[in-house]
Amino acid sequence: MPQSPLPGVTIIDHPLVRVKVTQLRDARTGSVDFRARLNELATLMVFEATRDLATKPIRVRTPLAETEGAVLARPIVVAPILRAGLGLVEGMLDLLPDVSVAHIGMFRNEETRLPESYYFKAPAHLADADVILVDPMLATGGSATSAVGRLKDAGAKSIRFVCLVSCQAGVKQLRGAHPDVPIFTAALDPELDARAYIVPGLGDAGDRYFGTI
Ligand code: PRP
Ligand code: URA
């Protein structure tokens, strides 16, 4: 898996990821297919984004003999930034069934471009968990930066951020504010437009996922 030239940023450049992101980008893709691809991408992304999770040994008895196996050393919390982050939860839970889900309600004010927070609910064991913060888009980076701040205020110590489409400005903002938070992305796009949308991007992820265009 190639590392991007930016420290702390991993571009998950798997052929299946590239194909599915292309389908998401395509303006002709309607909500039904958009949801399906987002779901599949979440499963592919979480597989790579959890590659370095610590495990601890356990003994297990096969039908033939006892042997050593592994369990995750720490609990996992998946934390979607609402709304669009919800689209990544189900696909992640397919691989990570034994997790808690935190909810971070936030929307970007269309005039100021700044995130406005409207909800936060996380499990009590956040400090002991590996937290996977998820949102399909990292544009200005304001929402992800604020969400990491909320998680840290609530006690989180180990946080990673998984998105699908990012851009230089958002990466710089999030890494600058929280250099301890690694970023996993499927695509690093060149720029933001005048409305702070990622170009080429995929448009408004929440609206396309929920059919509110
Ligand atoms: C989108 C996206 C991110 C945010 C990214 O959400 O899902 O949360 O914008 O932009 P930023 O990096 O510039 O902060 P939006 O605010 O549109 O809310 P929604 O998911 O409810 O549509
Ligand atoms: N939010 C989105 O959904 N898309 C963008 O390109 C920027 C913010």
Side-chain angles (χ1 to χ4, degrees):
M1 186 195 340
Q3 280 280 333
S4 86
L6 302 169
V9 180
T10 302
I11 298 179
I12 299 179
D13 186 35
H14 190 285
L16 294 181
V17 170
R18 282 208 303 278
V19 168
K20 290 176 194 298
V21 168
T22 303
Q23 291 168 344
L24 283 188
R25 287 190 192 277
D26 191 332
R28 295 168 303 179
T29 301
S31 285
V32 171
D33 290 326
F34 193 89
R35 285 180 201 134
R37 294 299 87 72
L38 208 57
N39 206 39
E40 293 158 2
L41 277 161
T43 308
L44 295 170
M45 296 289 289
V46 81
F47 187 74
E48 294 292 354
T50 53
R51 192 174 274 283
D52 68 338
L53 286 182
T55 59
K56 57 185 181 189
I58 53 156
R59 301 296 295 174
V60 64
R61 179 169 291 282
T62 78
L64 300 180
E66 196 176 287
T67 187
E68 189 169 295
V71 287
L72 291 176
R74 290 153 56 80
I76 295 181
V77 172
V78 175
I81 301 177
L82 310 186
R83 290 175 300 166
L86 285 174
L88 294 168
V89 172
E90 196 185 318
M92 292 201 169
L93 298 197
D94 283 348
L95 274 196
L96 305 168
D98 192 16
V99 299
S100 306
V101 180
H103 289 88
I104 305 174
M106 211 165 261
F107 69 90
R108 211 170 64 152
N109 181 308
E110 288 190 3
E111 277 160 26
T112 64
R113 320 266 193 253
L114 295 174
E116 294 191 12
S117 176
Y118 58 87
Y119 187 74
F120 183 86
K121 182 78 179 174
H125 65 282
L126 216 47
D128 304 320
D130 288 307
V131 180
I132 307 175
L133 176 65
V134 298
D135 192 322
M137 311 304 284
L138 180 68
T140 66
S143 303
T145 300
S146 175
V148 170
R150 294 297 303 263
L151 288 166
K152 286 185 175 175
D153 288 347
K157 294 186 174 60
S158 165
I159 305 171
R160 61 196 66 207
F161 179 65
V162 176
C163 61
L164 297 181
V165 183
S166 60
C167 67
Q168 301 273 350
V171 164
K172 196 170 163 211
Q173 160 63 32
L174 179 56
R175 291 287 303 162
H178 300 291
D180 57 315
V181 175
I183 299 172
F184 298 86
T185 184
L188 184 61
D189 279 9
E191 58 192 357
L192 293 172
D193 71 6
R195 295 185 310 142
Y197 274 77
I198 300 173
V199 182
L202 51 75
D204 190 307
D207 280 347
R208 292 190 68 190
Y209 184 85
F210 288 107
T212 49
I213 297 171

